[in-house]
Amino acid sequence: MSHSKGRLFVISGPSGTGKGTICREILKDIRNEFSVSMTTREPREGEEHGREYFFVSHEEFIENINRNNFLEYATVFDNYYGTPKDIVLKKLEKGRNVILDIDVQGGLQVKEAMPEAVLIFLLPPSLAALRSRLENRGTETPEKIEKRLNKALDEIKFIGEYDYMVVNDVREDAVSDVRSIMTAEALRVPEKVLPIIRRYEQEQKGE
Ligand code: 5GP
């Protein structure tokens, strides 16, 4: 990836770990943009079409799969979720960092398609903490909470495929950890180092 392009960051982790809150903090920096996913799930109270998700019908989602419009897609909790490819590529081209809040199945697909993507795994301090966060959120039935807790363990098993892990115990600390990862990635030596060397050579020659 050339230096002028933005970077792609995937944030995964069990539902209820606080990915949404952390992403909102990270997105206060105008260099970072969120990738709005498409989903077949029903909007929750307060969610807006085009802001949290593009809420579409099952048919529309399948149509987008057939047109190869997704960078990745997966079935999560009986619904389809997918990352619209063109929107992400355009944002990267404009030099923006793009943040994907997607599940592990999606994260692994992104790594396959774009190996330069940076994968961050957000962990809850414990399963008990995760359960109480899901209960306090009050958006899910007890049955759905059990489903999400089971999926949490399934997801954590894939942590070895990720580049970084952040434990979300104290929110401010987790946000600062994610920011540090983004800064470190921005400071990586780029693949093409010649322009950097040239710049110093020219300076030495007084050009
Ligand atoms: P929720 O229904 O709570 O908004 O999201 C459920 C799960 O789906 C979360 O783990 C979230 O990260 C994941 N998710 C959201 N959008 C996408 C997407 O585009 N692709 C994939 N693979 N997962 C997604």
Side-chain angles (χ1 to χ4, degrees):
M1 188 184 280
S2 97
H3 221 48
S4 54
K5 275 192 193 170
R7 289 175 175 75
L8 187 59
F9 292 91
V10 169
I11 301 193
S12 301
S15 164
T17 311
K19 281 174 292 178
T21 321
I22 305 260
C23 283
R24 273 194 293 281
E25 286 300 314
I26 298 300
L27 290 163
K28 286 182 183 165
D29 184 329
I30 54 157
R31 289 169 298 183
N32 304 330
E33 285 197 29
F34 187 61
S35 158
V36 179
S37 294
M38 201 177 271
T39 183
T40 57
R41 96 149 152 70
E42 291 293 314
R44 295 192 188 117
E45 214 178 295
E47 286 184 333
E48 252 178 49
H49 182 79
R51 191 180 62 190
E52 280 80 10
Y53 286 103
F54 296 109
F55 297 99
V56 299
S57 67
H58 195 266
E59 292 68 32
E60 200 174 329
F61 199 99
I62 301 286
E63 212 176 288
N64 277 281
I65 296 177
N66 293 337
R67 289 209 203 117
N68 196 23
N69 283 349
F70 291 117
L71 178 58
E72 63 73 36
Y73 69 92
T75 309
V76 187
F77 307 122
D78 306 327
N79 282 301
Y80 275 123
Y81 292 80
T83 304
K85 189 163 50 187
D86 284 358
I87 304 180
V88 168
L89 296 181
K90 271 188 199 137
K91 285 179 176 172
L92 290 173
E93 209 57 52
K94 276 198 299 180
R96 300 276 195 268
N97 294 319
V98 181
I99 318 290
L100 309 186
D101 166 351
I102 62 176
D103 86 327
V104 167
Q105 310 169 66
L108 300 183
Q109 290 177 52
V110 169
K111 192 82 187 173
E112 184 87 23
M114 300 175 76
E116 69 275 23
V118 179
L119 270 56
I120 304 172
F121 201 103
L122 198 64
L123 285 163
S126 66
L127 279 187
L130 185 62
R131 176 187 290 278
S132 68
R133 277 188 204 168
L134 285 171
E135 284 170 355
N136 292 340
R137 189 153 88 174
T139 54
E140 317 296 333
T141 60
E143 187 196 308
K144 281 193 175 163
I145 289 178
E146 289 312 315
K147 255 190 169 178
R148 281 174 190 251
L149 283 171
N150 287 334
K151 187 170 190 286
L153 255 187
D154 288 343
E155 290 205 292
I156 290 169
K157 289 178 188 155
F158 286 95
I159 195 161
E161 307 291 328
Y162 276 62
D163 301 306
Y164 295 95
M165 58 179 242
V166 171
V167 177
N168 187 15
D169 191 358
V170 177
R171 194 185 63 192
E172 292 73 25
D173 292 347
V175 171
S176 140
D177 287 347
V178 174
R179 286 201 182 113
S180 303
I181 293 167
M182 296 181 77
T183 304
E185 288 296 325
L187 298 175
R188 255 185 204 286
V189 175
E191 240 169 64
K192 290 180 187 144
V193 291
L194 223 51
I196 302 170
I197 299 169
R198 285 267 151 75
R199 185 156 63 84
Y200 286 96
E201 278 177 349
Q202 280 167 358
E203 189 189 344
Q204 196 188 30
K205 285 184 206 151
E207 284 171 15

